[in-house]
């Protein structure tokens, strides 16, 4: 008897931790170490020892849009604000994606293959460094620094380079006709050194996006005659380049909520946009931004309007749309961008748009840059609202909040796929959340449905798209459903406020949600964002007796999703009963016992807004 009692007691003791164990948020070890060092905190805020490096870029470049050849010189003053001595500087050379033999996850036209960025001169703190001695790792160049860059000290790099940008391939940038070109990733750029991984050394393969420091840019671009430029930052010498008529229209647009035609088709034809016919040096400055890009053309029309984004300071933002003469796709784009900025500033995020302007350039597909969007021409009004509001929303993620798109593309793409859907609906999209059904049908629970804990650099085209735009957006949608408009907006606003001009990780976002709501959402985050699985709700134990229904909904799949019950009555009418995913926090079964005022014919579980891997068990017979 004593032996049996001992065994029983031992079994009870062994079972106690399992019974008491609550879901714990998955926190990567490198993030745990950052919290221990004091650079991050367990409530989602930057820690007292948080650091961030940055640079001042002075760039002088000459660009020929007819050939795609760019030559430049730059001075980079890089501030090592970290506690570490840096024995090397990692230099990003994104155009080496087009170097013959480079690793790529996107197709490029063979005509664009070349020898890559030609580094003609490098000086480190004034001392010449032979470019031929550089070590390369993919699209990164490694500059050894002797002596090392001590903690809390700067280093100055002087670089001269030449690059042939692609003429056929339109990958986030490129040529759109003989004299119209959107230029990005054109200058040697210092990589990020942070408290999580040290140097960001991931090579650019064309699929993953970017992770950059917050920098200041002073850029001069020499362009051939008749070329007009729009860029990140503010034009410093507008009076030297633009005609009085153009300057006057810009001044009017900066003070008006109405659309102003800055440059019309007639202005393009008469060459009256610029002051002179010769080549011009366009001088732009931008402060505290993560990148610099520009678009050029000698035959784009130019619309502009503006709006007040901050009632406290009455700060206004200029909103431009530039597009080909005769392109109907460009019409109303400035107004859509203006409305998007208004909605994002006032309520959807609740933080004023941070930059002096937004310019939407008609190029190809859709890609975001600080103060700039490169958007393909779209004629359908709903699609036009989609691409414009989506790319404008990227002004907050990853630019105002500097997420690491290279590793965690789902944060910015998931949020920006979900948040501006309200704007799309205002422009007539009756199925703004179509991506829920699309993701559930194409990817959920398959080998292409990859947990968000898997870095974006480990994904291919199929898995990356479904992860970043599908699963992540659906997860944020159901989170919003649980929290409600007011709390969700409070969470997002706090996240932006905490991490403005900083580099949060996914864990910082999740900790912020927990701290703002005062609840632990590990039970939701772990399956949706960090585990393999699928959604499957089953309708079981259904009893229908006249007007009375008794049933259970069981969560058989891993993902917590909302409950949508449709009760169909004998007279053909229906009633919907809804519950958010919150019902699954502590139980995998939800029960309904209810009397209605009509005879019940059947009960159906789910609809297109709720993914379900096995819908056959969703109908009472």
């Amino acid at each position: 008897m004593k032996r049996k009692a001992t065994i029983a007691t031992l079994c009870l003791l062994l079972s106690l931790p399992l019974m008491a164990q609550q879901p714990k948020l998955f926190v990567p070890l490198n993030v745990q170490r950052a919290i221990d060092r004091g650079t991050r905190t367990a409530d989602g805020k930057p820690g007292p020892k948080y650091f961030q490096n940055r640079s001042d870029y002075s760039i002088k470049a000459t660009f020929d849009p007819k050939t795609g050849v760019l030559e430049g010189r730059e001075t980079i003053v890089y501030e090592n604000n970290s506690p570490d001595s840096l024995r090397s500087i990692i230099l990003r050379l994104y155009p080496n994606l087009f170097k013959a033999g480079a690793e790529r996850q996107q197709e490029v036209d063979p005509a664009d293959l070349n020898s890559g960025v030609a580094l003609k001169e490098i000086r480190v703190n004034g001392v010449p460094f032979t470019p031929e001695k550089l070590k390369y790792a993919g699209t990164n160049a490694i500059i050894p620094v002797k002596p090392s860059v001590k903690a809390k000290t700067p280093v100055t790099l002087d670089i001269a380079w030449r690059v042939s940008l692609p003429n056929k391939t339109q990958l986030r940038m490129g040529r759109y006709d003989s004299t119209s070109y959107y230029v990005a990733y054109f200058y040697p750029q210092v990589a990020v050194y942070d408290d999580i991984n040290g140097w960001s050394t991931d090579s650019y393969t064309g699929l993953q996006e970017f992770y950059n420091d917050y920098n200041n840019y002073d850029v001069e671009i020499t362009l051939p005659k008749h070329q007009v430029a729009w860029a990140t930052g503010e034009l410093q010498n507008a009076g030297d380049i633009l005609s009085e008529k153009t300057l006057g229209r810009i001044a009017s647009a900066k003070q008006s909520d109405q659309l102003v035609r800055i440059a019309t088709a007639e202005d393009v034809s008469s060459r009256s946009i610029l002051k002179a016919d010769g080549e011009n040096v366009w001088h732009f400055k931008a402060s505290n931004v993560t990148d610099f890009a520009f678009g050029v053309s000698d035959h784009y029309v130019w619309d502009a309007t503006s709006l007040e984004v901050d009632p406290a300071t009455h700060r206004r933002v200029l909103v431009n749309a530039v597009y080909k003469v005769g392109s109907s796709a460009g019409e109303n784009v400035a107004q859509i961008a203006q409305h998007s900025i208004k909605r994002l500033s006032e309520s959807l995020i609740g933080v004023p748009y941070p930059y002096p302007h937004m310019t939407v350039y008609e190029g190809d597909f859709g890609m975001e840059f600080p103060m700039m969007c490169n958007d393909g021409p779209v004629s359908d009004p709903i699609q036009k609202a989609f691409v414009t509001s989506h790319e404008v929303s990227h002004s907050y993620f990853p630019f105002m909040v500097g997420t690491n798109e290279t590793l965690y593309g789902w944060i910015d793409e998931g949020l920006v796929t979900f948040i501006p859907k309200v704007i799309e609906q205002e422009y007539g999209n009756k199925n703004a959340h179509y991506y829920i059904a699309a993701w559930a049908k194409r990817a959920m629970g398959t080998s292409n449905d990859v947990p968000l804990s898997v870095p974006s650099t480990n994904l291919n085209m199929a898995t990356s798209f479904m992860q970043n735009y599908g699963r992540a957006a659906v997860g944020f949608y159901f989170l919003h459903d649980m929290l409600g408009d007011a709390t969700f907006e409070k969470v997002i606003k706090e996240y932006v406020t905490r991490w403005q001009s900083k580099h949060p990780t996914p864990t910082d976002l999740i900790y912020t949600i927990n701290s703002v709501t005062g609840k632990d959402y590990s039970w939701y985050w772990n399956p949706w964002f960090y585990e393999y699985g699928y959604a499957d709700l089953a309708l079981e134990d259904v009893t229908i007796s006249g007007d009375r229904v008794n049933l259970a909904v069981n969560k058989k799949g891993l993902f917590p999703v909302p409950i949508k019950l449709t009760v169909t009555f004998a007279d053909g009418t229906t009633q919907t009963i809804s519950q958010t995913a919150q019902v699954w926090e502590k139980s995998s079964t939800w029960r309904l016992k209810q009397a209605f005022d009509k005879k019940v014919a059947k009960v159906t579980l789910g609809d297109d807004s709720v993914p379900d891997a096995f819908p056959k068990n969703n109908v009472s017979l």
Side-chain angles (χ1 to χ4, degrees):
M1 289 291 292
K2 180 180 287 188
R3 183 171 180 270
K4 290 183 178 180
T6 302
I7 293 174
T9 302
L10 178 61
C11 290
L12 177 62
L13 290 173
L14 289 173
S15 68
L16 283 175
L18 298 176
M19 294 168 60
Q21 186 177 17
Q22 296 296 319
K24 294 289 186 181
L25 180 67
F26 169 72
V27 180
L29 287 176
N30 47 355
V31 177
Q32 291 184 38
R33 295 180 186 119
I35 293 172
D36 292 341
R37 290 193 300 267
T39 58
R40 313 265 163 169
T41 66
D43 63 356
K45 296 178 182 177
K49 296 183 180 180
Y50 179 82
F51 70 84
Q52 210 164 278
N53 295 352
R54 59 183 302 119
S55 298
D56 289 332
Y57 286 83
S58 296
I59 301 173
K60 293 185 178 181
T62 299
F63 179 64
D64 184 352
K66 291 185 177 181
T67 64
V69 173
L70 185 145
E71 294 198 56
R73 300 188 68 91
E74 68 180 2
T75 297
I76 308 171
V77 180
Y78 178 70
E79 298 176 11
N80 177 21
N81 297 317
S82 80
D84 307 320
S85 292
L86 305 179
R87 292 179 293 179
S88 62
I89 300 292
I90 306 297
L91 205 62
R92 296 203 183 281
L93 303 174
Y94 291 122
N96 278 357
L97 176 74
F98 296 93
K99 195 172 182 178
E103 178 188 358
R104 285 182 289 271
Q105 290 178 281
Q106 296 270 32
E107 290 187 11
V108 303
D109 192 297
D112 290 326
L113 296 179
N114 55 48
S115 57
V117 179
L119 296 173
K120 301 193 297 184
E121 180 183 335
I122 299 176
R123 291 178 180 269
V124 181
N125 285 333
V127 178
F129 179 86
T130 304
E132 289 75 19
K133 293 184 179 180
L134 286 175
K135 294 182 180 179
Y136 288 89
T139 54
N140 297 319
I142 304 170
I143 305 176
V145 182
K146 295 182 180 180
S148 61
V149 183
K150 302 299 182 184
K152 312 298 183 183
T153 60
V155 60
T156 299
L157 305 174
D158 293 292
I159 302 171
W161 80 100
R162 184 181 187 276
V163 62
S164 293
L165 298 174
N167 284 308
K168 300 289 186 179
T169 307
Q170 296 175 349
L171 180 57
R172 302 190 174 104
M173 56 162 285
R175 172 183 304 288
Y176 304 113
D177 58 45
S178 61
T179 56
S180 301
Y181 206 111
Y182 195 91
V183 182
Y185 325 124
F186 65 94
Y187 61 99
Q189 181 188 61
V190 179
V192 175
Y193 183 89
D194 65 22
D195 62 314
I196 300 296
N197 296 312
W199 282 112
S200 173
T201 58
D202 300 293
S203 182
Y204 178 49
T205 64
L207 178 58
Q208 292 78 32
E209 297 186 27
F210 307 97
Y211 181 40
N212 300 325
D213 279 324
Y214 285 87
N215 308 307
N216 298 326
Y217 291 86
D218 188 331
V219 182
E220 295 181 10
I221 307 162
T222 301
L223 295 175
K225 65 180 182 179
H226 305 315
Q227 286 287 335
V228 181
W230 302 268
T232 301
E234 295 184 276
L235 184 61
Q236 302 297 298
N237 58 339
D240 298 332
I241 296 177
L242 302 175
S243 68
E244 293 300 322
K245 179 173 63 175
T246 304
L247 290 170
R249 291 173 179 175
I250 294 173
S252 296
K254 286 183 175 180
Q255 300 301 320
S256 176
D257 292 347
Q258 303 303 310
L259 187 71
V260 177
R261 305 287 188 180
I262 305 296
T264 66
E266 291 182 3
D267 297 322
V268 171
S269 178
S270 63
R271 299 296 187 189
S272 60
I273 302 171
L274 304 178
K275 180 175 287 188
D277 286 341
E279 72 173 22
N280 286 300
V281 178
W282 296 76
H283 184 193
F284 296 93
K285 284 187 178 182
S287 300
N288 201 40
V289 294
T290 57
D291 205 354
F292 184 95
F294 64 95
V296 303
S297 181
D298 62 1
H299 59 274
Y300 270 28
V301 295
W302 180 357
D303 295 344
T305 183
S306 65
L307 75 157
E308 181 182 292
V309 296
D310 189 349
T313 62
H314 302 293
R315 180 170 63 87
R316 296 186 68 86
V317 169
L318 180 67
V319 185
N320 307 297
V322 296
Y323 50 96
K324 293 179 182 179
V325 170
S327 170
S328 61
E331 291 289 337
N332 300 321
V333 167
Q335 295 98 315
I336 296 171
Q338 177 196 45
H339 180 68
S340 299
I341 291 172
K342 177 180 177 65
R343 296 289 279 118
L344 293 163
S345 299
E346 291 181 352
S347 61
L348 296 182
I349 293 177
V351 177
Y353 177 84
Y355 305 117
H357 77 81
M358 164 53 68
T359 299
V360 183
Y361 179 97
E362 185 178 274
D364 178 67
F365 197 60
M367 185 60 196
E368 68 277 5
F369 304 86
M371 306 183 218
M372 300 284 289
C373 298
N374 180 17
D375 291 353
V378 178
S379 297
D380 178 78
I382 291 177
Q383 288 298 312
K384 190 182 297 187
F386 160 70
V387 69
T388 303
S389 63
H390 181 97
E391 303 306 339
V392 168
S393 296
H394 274 302
S395 300
Y396 291 86
F397 316 104
F399 298 136
M400 192 175 188
V401 178
T403 53
N404 185 343
E405 295 179 285
T406 305
L407 294 182
Y408 322 121
W410 62 269
I411 299 183
D412 69 290
E413 294 298 354
L415 285 170
V416 168
T417 298
F418 164 66
I419 289 176
K421 292 302 177 185
V422 173
I423 300 170
E424 288 182 53
Q425 290 170 325
E426 292 168 346
Y427 281 92
N429 190 348
K430 299 184 184 303
N431 187 26
H433 298 289
Y434 62 88
Y435 55 87
I436 294 176
W439 166 76
K441 180 179 180 180
R442 299 176 187 174
M444 185 182 71
T446 70
S447 56
N448 282 338
D449 189 18
V450 181
L452 304 183
S453 55
V454 177
S456 301
T457 48
N458 292 346
L459 305 180
N460 60 29
M461 178 66 77
T463 53
S464 177
F465 187 82
M466 287 300 174
Q467 183 202 64
N468 295 339
Y469 297 88
R471 177 167 167 171
V474 175
F476 282 124
Y477 178 79
F478 293 148
L479 176 69
H480 173 273
D481 189 39
M482 285 193 293
L483 299 183
D485 287 345
T487 301
F488 186 84
E489 289 168 13
K490 182 179 179 181
V491 165
I492 294 301
K493 184 175 181 178
E494 178 64 19
Y495 174 60
V496 172
T497 302
R498 288 180 176 186
W499 291 97
Q500 181 173 349
S501 301
K502 296 181 176 67
H503 294 313
T505 68
T507 306
D508 297 311
L509 169 60
I510 299 167
Y511 276 154
T512 296
I513 293 171
N514 288 350
S515 67
V516 171
T517 61
K519 297 179 180 179
D520 185 356
Y521 281 94
S522 300
W523 64 271
Y524 182 81
W525 283 104
N526 281 335
W528 262 112
F529 293 88
Y530 293 116
E531 298 178 26
Y532 284 95
Y534 50 81
D536 177 29
L537 300 184
L539 193 59
E540 297 180 342
D541 302 329
V542 181
T543 301
I544 299 174
S545 179
D547 62 352
R548 295 178 178 274
V549 174
N550 192 346
L551 59 81
V553 177
N554 288 320
K555 185 174 78 70
K556 293 193 168 184
L558 182 66
F559 296 165
V561 295
I563 295 172
K564 297 284 181 70
L565 280 174
T566 301
V567 180
T568 302
F569 300 104
D571 62 2
T573 60
T574 61
Q575 179 178 333
T576 300
I577 298 172
S578 300
Q579 295 287 330
T580 72
Q582 191 75 50
V583 298
W584 309 119
E585 179 180 4
K586 296 180 180 179
S587 175
S588 60
T589 300
W590 178 82
R591 297 188 179 276
L592 174 71
K593 186 176 183 180
Q594 186 170 333
F596 298 90
D597 57 3
K598 299 179 184 180
K599 184 179 180 180
V600 177
K602 69 174 182 178
V603 180
T604 305
L605 174 64
D607 60 22
D608 287 344
S609 68
V610 181
D612 198 312
F614 300 99
K616 290 183 178 180
N617 56 18
N618 290 1
V619 181
S620 66
L621 300 176

